[in-house]
Amino acid sequence: MDQKHLTPAMVRIIQAYLEDPTTPMFATELMTRARVGSGSLYPALARMEAAGWIVQEKEDIDPSEEGRPARRYFSMTGKGAAEAHVALVELSESVRPPANSPGWNPEWHPASRIGTVFQRLASGFRAQGLAAKGI
């Protein structure tokens, strides 16, 4: 799997795993650490598992004794850690702004341009009498 197949949820999950790739995590912990909901988590985990990046195993407990169902733990594989790291680097490179973008020019200030646009809009509204009407 390469960077073009990464969803925002997968990026966050990978980042959570790469903090310590050897630690298995259960779904609730992953949702908290990656800041994703279950609707994004499980499809991302399924894609990552199909790519061989993670494996899952069921907790070895007696549900009646524990009073809860067994959790599924997800662990990142060595292959997954290496390939996920490369995919994140490629993604970072692909979304980096070009060196000649206006953001690299210290004299370009987007806030001042936005302020100018709002001032022109406001003066146009006042000229049309719309400011008094709450528009």
Side-chain angles (χ1 to χ4, degrees), residues 112-128:
S112 65
R113 291 178 184 240
I114 292 170
T116 303
V117 170
F118 283 127
Q119 288 172 353
R120 288 183 184 162
L121 285 172
S123 65
F125 287 152
R126 280 193 296 274
Q128 295 176 16

Side-chain angles (χ1 to χ4, degrees), residues 17-70:
Y17 268 119
L18 291 181
E19 288 176 12
D20 184 8
T22 61
T23 302
M25 291 185 263
F26 55 92
T28 308
E29 183 180 8
L30 270 171
M31 284 188 281
T32 302
R33 291 177 88 182
R35 300 176 320 278
V36 297
S38 61
S40 298
L41 178 76
Y42 288 106
L45 290 175
R47 292 178 72 190
M48 292 170 70
E49 187 174 22
W53 288 11
I54 62 167
V55 292
Q56 65 173 298
E57 56 186 82
K58 204 170 189 176
E59 185 179 35
D60 188 22
I61 64 163
D62 180 6
S64 60
E65 212 173 274
E66 295 292 327
R68 63 172 175 81

